[in-house]
Amino acid sequence: MTGILYLVATPIGNLEDITLRALRVLKEVDLIAAEDTRHTGQLLKHFDIKKPLCSFYSHNQEQRSPELVEKLLAGRQVALVTDAGTPGISDPAVSLVAQAVRAGIRIVPIPGATALISALVCSGLDPSRFLFLGFLPIKSGKRARLLEELKEGSATLVMYESPHRIAKTLSDLAAAFSPRQAVLGRELTKIYEEFERGDIAELAQQYQTKKPRGEYVIVIDGKAG
């Protein structure tokens, strides 16, 4: 009998956001594949969970996926976690999930925290239709083409950005989407959680001199019909 691959969401900041089901699954599986074993080790220690860990991150997922599928086919139960949030949302998972599907292995989601949904529902912008972009392309040409394609869309746009690129990204977004309304969600679920709202150009101007801190979720209003 084959094992089960569990995709387990973990907190994006506040450890109280982990679910009872996630804790049970992490206690019951044979192996936990983690984006950063040191980070996940701290999480497991907090909840007094002792399980073997193996690394599974963007640069080794192609090599590690077949190994994990082999373990699953041998009947072992495996949980996949990332540093924060839901596996597969701007984090490694796709390669393993695709190979598990082809091998006929059962895949079970253990839902939980996701930064994009937290930011979207608190933004005050229309959540009924949205487009999640992950991180925008770093190369300027590819980024410019993508933003041009998105100009005419009416769906609310959601994307992630790191603190060292937030000023440049906001400047690019202002050039493409001003005067649309935007919301920046920062340090979500953490002590210094903050939402900044305003015209995307105004926010971009503020970040020309403001020192950014923490990870960001950017939400931008869609084009008015």
Side-chain angles (χ1 to χ4, degrees), residues 96-167:
L96 176 58
V97 172
Q99 293 188 40
V101 168
R102 289 196 292 271
I105 293 166
R106 183 184 174 196
I107 302 167
V108 175
I110 310 297
T114 302
L116 77 95
I117 297 299
S118 300
L120 177 64
V121 297
C122 290
S123 70
L125 303 180
D126 183 4
S128 62
R129 293 181 67 246
F130 69 93
L131 179 61
F132 176 60
L133 302 166
F135 289 90
L136 292 180
I138 294 176
K139 292 185 177 180
S140 58
K142 191 173 182 180
R143 173 181 289 206
R145 287 193 294 274
L146 174 62
L147 296 182
E148 185 65 28
E149 292 173 7
L150 296 169
K151 277 185 177 179
E152 300 303 314
S154 59
T156 300
L157 303 176
V158 187
M159 64 205 80
Y160 293 161
E161 193 50 279
S162 62
H164 65 276
R165 285 201 298 265
I166 187 69

Side-chain angles (χ1 to χ4, degrees), residues 172-203:
D172 291 344
L173 292 171
F177 300 116
S178 184
R180 294 189 201 178
Q181 292 296 299
V183 178
L184 305 183
R186 184 180 73 83
E187 296 283 79
L188 298 181
T189 79
K190 300 177 183 176
I191 294 175
Y192 297 107
E193 176 183 88
E194 181 181 34
F195 291 95
E196 299 172 272
R197 309 169 194 274
D199 180 299
I200 184 63
E202 295 172 353
L203 293 171

Side-chain angles (χ1 to χ4, degrees):
M1 186 174 181
T2 61
I4 297 173
L5 173 61
Y6 295 94
L7 305 181
V8 182
T10 54
I12 59 175
N14 192 323
L15 295 183
E16 293 180 354
D17 291 336
I18 198 164
T19 68
L20 295 175
R21 190 180 178 208
L23 291 175
R24 177 180 60 77
V25 167
L26 292 175
K27 290 176 182 176
E28 292 179 352
V29 295
D30 300 303
L31 176 67
I32 299 172
E35 185 178 12
D36 184 330
T37 55
R38 294 167 299 181
H39 183 94
T40 298
Q42 293 175 353
L43 177 72
L44 298 181
K45 184 178 180 180
H46 179 84
F47 291 106
D48 195 25
I49 297 173
K50 298 178 177 64
K51 286 292 174 181
L53 289 165
C54 73
S55 64
F56 185 88
Y57 52 94
S58 57
H59 296 298
N60 80 344
Q61 60 177 323
E62 294 299 331
Q63 172 191 353
R64 187 53 58 83
S65 293
E67 299 173 9
L68 292 173
V69 168
E70 187 175 335
K71 295 180 187 301
L72 288 158
L73 288 173
R76 300 186 71 184
Q77 314 296 326
V78 177
L80 176 64
V81 302
T82 60
D83 290 350
T86 301
I89 305 297
S90 292
D91 281 322
V94 174
S95 173
L96 176 58
V97 172
Q99 293 188 40
V101 168
R102 289 196 292 271
I105 293 166
R106 183 184 174 196
I107 302 167
V108 175
I110 310 297
T114 302
L116 77 95
I117 297 299
S118 300
L120 177 64
V121 297
C122 290
S123 70
L125 303 180
D126 183 4
S128 62
R129 293 181 67 246
F130 69 93
L131 179 61
F132 176 60
L133 302 166
F135 289 90
L136 292 180
I138 294 176
K139 292 185 177 180
S140 58
K142 191 173 182 180
R143 173 181 289 206
R145 287 193 294 274
L146 174 62
L147 296 182
E148 185 65 28
E149 292 173 7
L150 296 169
K151 277 185 177 179
E152 300 303 314
S154 59
T156 300
L157 303 176
V158 187
M159 64 205 80
Y160 293 161
E161 193 50 279
S162 62
H164 65 276
R165 285 201 298 265
I166 187 69
K168 174 66 167 59
T169 293
L170 288 175
S171 179
D172 291 344
L173 292 171
F177 300 116
S178 184
R180 294 189 201 178
Q181 292 296 299
V183 178
L184 305 183
R186 184 180 73 83
E187 296 283 79
L188 298 181
T189 79
K190 300 177 183 176
I191 294 175
Y192 297 107
E193 176 183 88
E194 181 181 34
F195 291 95
E196 299 172 272
R197 309 169 194 274
D199 180 299
I200 184 63
E202 295 172 353
L203 293 171
Q205 183 63 36
Q206 293 173 18
Y207 272 82
Q208 294 306 307
T209 54
K210 187 173 183 177
K211 186 175 181 180
R213 296 179 185 278
E215 299 295 321
Y216 288 81
V217 183
I218 306 170
V219 187
I220 302 176
D221 208 4
K223 184 179 181 180

